[in-house]
Amino acid sequence: MADFGLYEYQEEVVQRALRGENIIIWLPTGGGKTRAAVYVAKKHLENNPGAKVAVLVNKVHLVDQHYNNEFNPYLGSDYSLVSISGDCDQKDFFGCEVKNSDLVICTAQILENALTNQEEGKHVELSQFTLLIIDECHHTHKEGVYNKIMARYVAQKLKGERRLPQILGLTASPGTGGAKSIKGAVEHVLQICANLDSVIVSSKVYAPELKKKVPRPRKRFDIVDRRPQDPFGDHLKFMMQFIHDFMALGPEFPVREFGTQEYEADVVILEKKGVTDRNRLLAQCALHLRQYNDALLINDTVRMVDAFRVLESYYSTKSSTAMDGTDFFLLGLYQENEVELRKLSGDARFENPKMGKLQNTLLEQFVQGGHSRGILFSKTRKSICCLYDWVSNNPALQRAGIRAAILTGAGNGINYMTQNEQKDTIRNFRLGSLNLLISTSVAEEGLDIPECNLVVRYGLLTNEIAQQQASGRARASDSVYSVVAQAGGREVRRELLNECLEDLTGRAIGEVQRMEPRDFQMKITDLQTEALLTRQLAEQLKLKKRSRFNAATVQLSCRGCFLPVALGHDIKVIENAHHVNINPDFERYYKTGGQPALKTFEDWEPGRVISCAACGRNCNAQWGMEMIYKNIALLPILAIENFAMETPEGRKLAKKWKNVEFTVEEFNFSTYCHNKFPNMLD
């Protein structure tokens, strides 16, 4: 394998795969799992006439990355390869592309859609593939798309189907699944093995070579003392208490500490209670309290001015949407305190001390020379935008030559990036025109980025998998992995716990690997059978739940003003994804706004954002957007989280359409056209 460029530890871990076994390769970030998979695919195609390989990834940007950087350079001259994601036209002819290709690289969702779509040219069967490579396969659990695919695989296997592809999973850490005992961690690893119908392999003989090839960064905790005074945060808490007094909650609603994730969970429950009880005062106060709590969390993470701007932006539109005394009270409270909040947020004496520590951490690495590269991880898109603004306007950091850019996940919306924007950012980082990425977790896993000499985790509470992935980005010699946190804070405690869980993961994998093959297979079969029965029962319960109420007896009310605007039988579903209201009278209940940042799809294109105009006052609660379907039908797409449902058993809420308790029928375009344009076919 020397001509292929494999290290000896890579040769070691692929042996069982080369013999046709289902395996999970466990190697650390930077250990070359993908290169090992390319080699397995190459040998598989060489040794099996008519072989067909699918490479599944869990993020869109990894499709082109794997195609361009790994599979095509080594296989493209001898085999037909194609890369397919949601952004390319080939997805609409996925079945044809599979038929005409030797190797397909795609997002798992593309394959899942093709497995369920019965339309000719789009449908595929698992039996068409001879090798399935699953990247970041630790995501094969619960209701994830990897597990949906593998659940179908396992069900066919248990029925005796033999024409199933070989499985090759790749992971840097299966994790412990939340378990903190060796027994629980072993059960979690076994469940991952059962879900993937695979054994888990790692380097044993050549582990020293692996350790030398993938050195661990020097880890340190950059700790700051708690801010001695926080008049800005105290003032926010004073205002929040004022709102609580206005709500006059009884002792059955104990208040947890303001500015915490626990308090945020409390106000979410409070808002839901307000909606279900038709108590608009309670619901609206809870929504505003969540904004103040967000401001406190931002104040604890970045600058005071960032927290103030969040509130300023939220209240900038509230004067035009005030409907009743509750709205005027909440708006008035902010307006009366706005000047004081602005003044306090600009007082440098009380600035977040973590920002100073972060500045020193960055300067320490970037003043050493012009070749430093780093990644600054933070939790939310909002916080990384604030950090980017701070870095870009910080004279000391600019003098040190820091050239920063934001890296977030692909999607639609103001704080998301397109695929091309992601590619451009990573390319510029690789070329050196950028030397600091300020990123959410998108850069923790899978991205092919240059070796960094600095990784900073800032304001993050994540599990051991994310911590290992982030640590693995610091691969340059003498690299530093820094945790900037407050003394005694939860970040430090979580980081130390993750270190223990990482060690526990290794010990659990070791125990699984030492199991007798017969005992292992019996355990895997038991877990697979149990999972199959559980899924079948869950599906029965889901079907029963969806038919609990007749759609005609369910009324949808605006979650903002509580006015009824639609009936359940007005709603139809398009492509099992878009829930539209086909009642022509519905248009009088909403008004249109701006154009959402969405591309045009095969059968439809986005129209305008829609919001409530039902009450004739200033509700303006966002409901969704219009879609232009097949260039003919203008249909409002509704997000169920923006509505309450009046059912025969009382008022209910649902976060997603899959959770509603009535059946939503499929949209029939022909019937719609006949009803809308009765004379069209005459």
Side-chain angles (χ1 to χ4, degrees):
M1 301 182 201
D3 59 323
F4 197 80
L6 289 190
Y7 292 98
E8 289 179 305
Y9 68 83
Q10 291 172 308
E11 295 182 26
E12 180 184 2
V13 297
V14 300
Q15 291 306 311
R16 296 181 69 172
L18 296 178
R19 296 197 294 267
E21 295 183 47
N22 288 0
I23 72 163
I24 299 167
I25 292 178
W26 174 48
L27 287 175
T29 300
K33 296 180 293 297
T34 309
R35 183 65 54 83
V38 174
Y39 184 81
V40 172
K42 181 176 184 292
K43 288 301 179 184
H44 182 85
L45 290 166
E46 287 175 354
N47 298 329
N48 298 279
K52 199 172 292 292
V53 180
V55 181
L56 305 184
V57 299
N58 64 325
K59 293 178 181 176
V60 172
H61 56 259
L62 296 177
V63 174
D64 286 343
Q65 176 179 298
H66 284 348
Y67 178 85
N68 294 324
N69 298 355
E70 297 287 352
F71 285 89
N72 195 50
Y74 288 98
L75 305 179
S77 60
D78 298 316
Y79 301 99
S80 172
L81 277 64
V82 65
S83 62
I84 304 176
S85 67
D87 280 358
C88 65
D89 294 334
Q90 291 103 313
K91 75 178 189 302
D92 299 320
F93 304 96
F94 187 76
C96 296
E97 293 289 347
V98 168
K99 193 174 182 180
N100 298 326
S101 304
D102 299 310
L103 186 145
V104 178
I105 304 175
C106 64
T107 55
Q109 191 61 56
I110 295 286
L111 177 58
E112 172 64 13
N113 293 345
L115 290 168
T116 56
N117 192 328
Q118 298 304 311
E119 188 177 335
E120 187 177 355
K122 295 185 178 182
H123 178 70
V124 298
E125 295 283 349
L126 281 175
S127 57
Q128 290 177 242
F129 300 100
T130 55
L131 173 63
L132 211 57
I133 299 173
I134 302 179
D135 191 37
E136 308 294 355
C137 69
H138 50 271
H139 293 296
T140 311
H141 62 93
K142 298 181 181 177
E143 294 301 309
V145 64
Y146 279 165
N147 213 28
K148 289 181 180 179
I149 293 168
M150 286 307 302
R152 187 180 284 104
Y153 178 105
V154 169
Q156 292 179 22
K157 172 207 165 186
L158 293 176
K159 288 179 182 177
E161 173 64 60
R162 296 189 180 279
R163 295 178 303 154
L164 289 171
Q166 179 186 353
I167 302 297
L168 174 60
L170 311 174
T171 184
S173 174
T176 68
K180 295 182 176 63
S181 67
I182 187 65
K183 180 181 178 182
V186 167
E187 285 293 320
H188 172 73
V189 172
L190 283 168
Q191 187 64 65
I192 294 289
C193 291
N195 294 345
L196 287 155
D197 195 42
S198 301
V199 298
I200 186 164
V201 301
S202 56
S203 178
K204 303 291 186 187
V205 177
Y206 295 102
E209 181 196 34
L210 172 60
K211 191 173 182 180
K212 184 178 179 181
K213 166 64 180 169
V214 190
R216 300 280 295 206
R218 178 165 48 90
K219 183 172 183 175
R220 72 184 198 200
F221 290 93
D222 291 319
I223 304 300
V224 297
D225 293 329
R226 182 182 293 273
R227 185 164 18 191
Q229 294 182 63
D230 184 14
F232 175 77
D234 291 342
H235 200 83
L236 291 178
K237 292 175 182 178
F238 160 76
M239 295 170 69
M240 293 170 74
Q241 187 58 55
F242 204 79
I243 296 173
H244 273 272
D245 294 342
F246 177 74
M247 290 190 294
L249 296 173
E252 66 272 22
F253 292 105
V255 179
R256 288 193 274 188
E257 184 182 355
F258 294 155
T260 63
Q261 297 291 343
E262 291 78 14
Y263 178 80
E264 180 177 325
D266 290 343
V267 292
V268 167
I269 294 171
L270 206 59
E271 190 269 339
K272 289 179 180 178
K273 178 172 175 56
V275 174
T276 52
D277 291 353
R278 301 187 67 85
N279 184 336
R280 192 170 184 278
L281 183 151
L282 195 61
Q284 290 301 307
C285 284
L287 288 174
H288 286 247
L289 284 167
R290 185 169 183 180
Q291 292 296 320
Y292 283 104
N293 198 64
D294 279 349
L296 282 173
L297 290 169
I298 292 169
N299 179 52
D300 183 58
T301 305
V302 280
R303 298 169 297 181
M304 295 182 291
V305 68
D306 297 316
F308 173 72
R309 286 171 183 166
V310 166
L311 285 178
E312 186 180 40
S313 174
Y314 180 73
Y315 281 99
S316 63
T317 60
K318 288 302 173 186
S319 59
S320 62
T321 60
M323 289 174 50
D324 57 19
T326 298
D327 295 329
F328 288 114
F329 162 76
L330 293 166
L331 178 61
L333 177 65
Y334 172 76
Q335 290 175 337
E336 289 168 10
N337 289 274
E338 183 178 15
V339 172
E340 181 65 13
L341 287 173
R342 187 189 302 275
K343 176 184 173 184
L344 291 171
S345 71
D347 194 331
R349 294 176 298 168
F350 307 111
E351 193 52 272
N352 188 346
K354 285 191 284 191
M355 300 301 291
K357 178 63 74 172
L358 177 59
Q359 175 176 309
N360 292 337
T361 300
L362 292 172
L363 288 175
E364 182 181 319
Q365 292 298 315
F366 280 91
V367 296
Q368 292 179 358
H371 302 294
S372 292
R373 281 196 181 95
I375 306 180
L376 170 57
F377 287 110
S378 196
K379 183 178 181 181
T380 65
R381 294 181 180 90
K382 195 176 293 182
S383 65
I384 69 167
C385 288
C386 295
L387 287 167
Y388 173 75
D389 181 69
W390 170 72
V391 170
S392 302
N393 293 286
N394 185 301
L397 297 179
Q398 292 306 299
R399 284 195 299 271
I402 292 180
R403 301 176 298 279
I406 285 172
L407 183 63
T408 68
N412 302 298
I414 191 168
N415 289 329
Y416 288 83
M417 299 180 78
T418 66
Q419 262 187 275
N420 286 334
E421 287 172 336
Q422 281 187 339
K423 291 176 186 175
D424 289 343
T425 298
I426 295 164
R427 181 173 62 251
N428 291 333
F429 188 60
R430 185 178 292 114
L431 294 173
S433 56
L434 297 172
N435 55 17
L436 179 67
L437 293 181
I438 306 174
S439 179
T440 54
S441 59
V442 68
E444 286 178 342
E445 188 174 278
L447 274 177
D448 180 22
I449 53 181
E451 294 178 354
C452 301
N453 59 301
L454 175 66
V455 166
V456 181
R457 284 172 55 89
Y458 185 81
L460 279 177
L461 286 169
T462 54
N463 63 19
E464 71 280 8
I465 296 176
Q467 180 174 310
Q468 285 177 258
Q469 297 277 4
S471 175
R473 298 297 158 207
R475 300 202 293 269
S477 60
D478 197 29
S479 57
V480 171
Y481 173 87
S482 165
V483 179
V484 178
Q486 183 176 282
R490 292 186 298 171
E491 296 97 335
V492 174
R493 294 197 298 272
R494 182 70 216 198
E495 198 79 16
L496 294 172
L497 173 61
N498 285 342
E499 290 178 7
C500 297
L501 294 176
E502 182 179 349
D503 176 68
L504 185 61
T505 300
R507 290 194 288 126
I509 291 172
E511 286 210 11
V512 170
Q513 291 174 332
R514 286 189 293 272
M515 290 177 68
E516 290 294 329
R518 183 172 178 274
D519 294 340
F520 175 83
Q521 286 302 330
M522 287 179 61
K523 179 65 175 178
I524 293 303
T525 302
D526 288 346
L527 288 171
Q528 291 175 338
T529 304
E530 182 182 329
L532 177 63
L533 294 173
T534 301
R535 281 191 294 270
Q536 291 173 341
L537 178 60
E539 190 59 36
Q540 291 174 12
L541 293 174
K542 192 183 297 182
L543 291 172
K544 185 177 180 181
K545 180 181 178 181
R546 285 178 182 167
S547 59
R548 184 171 184 178
F549 304 118
N550 186 309
T553 67
V554 178
Q555 194 172 58
L556 272 62
S557 300
C558 173
R559 195 156 172 166
C561 64
F562 298 169
L563 286 180
V565 294
L567 291 171
H569 64 190
D570 295 334
I571 310 300
K572 307 298 177 188
V573 62
I574 297 176
E575 298 174 357
N576 202 33
H578 314 294
H579 291 76
V580 299
N581 190 320
I582 63 167
N583 189 333
D585 294 334
F586 182 67
E587 63 184 26
R588 64 192 176 96
Y589 291 112
Y590 70 82
K591 55 188 175 184
T592 57
Q595 190 83 21
L598 279 174
K599 64 175 185 175
T600 298
F601 296 86
E602 180 186 10
D603 291 327
W604 67 280
E605 61 183 274
R608 296 192 171 274
V609 172
I610 63 174
S611 57
C612 177
C615 60
R617 291 186 284 172
N618 292 326
C619 177
N620 290 331
Q622 283 205 5
W623 286 352
M625 69 175 184
E626 291 179 321
M627 76 172 344
I628 303 165
Y629 187 66
K630 293 186 182 293
N631 297 316
I632 294 177
L634 184 66
L635 300 166
I637 304 176
L638 305 184
I640 191 60
E641 64 180 355
N642 297 326
F643 297 88
M645 293 170 287
E646 307 288 352
T647 75
E649 295 182 10
R651 182 171 262 217
K652 295 179 179 289
L653 303 174
K655 192 171 183 179
K656 296 184 178 181
W657 278 103
K658 67 179 182 180
N659 302 128
V660 302
E661 297 179 282
F662 62 92
T663 301
V664 180
E665 296 178 350
E666 191 173 341
F667 176 73
N668 187 301
F669 183 62
S670 299
T671 302
Y672 173 84
C673 289
H674 180 77
N675 293 335
K676 184 81 172 179
F677 313 106
N679 300 321
M680 186 171 66
L681 301 177
D682 292 349

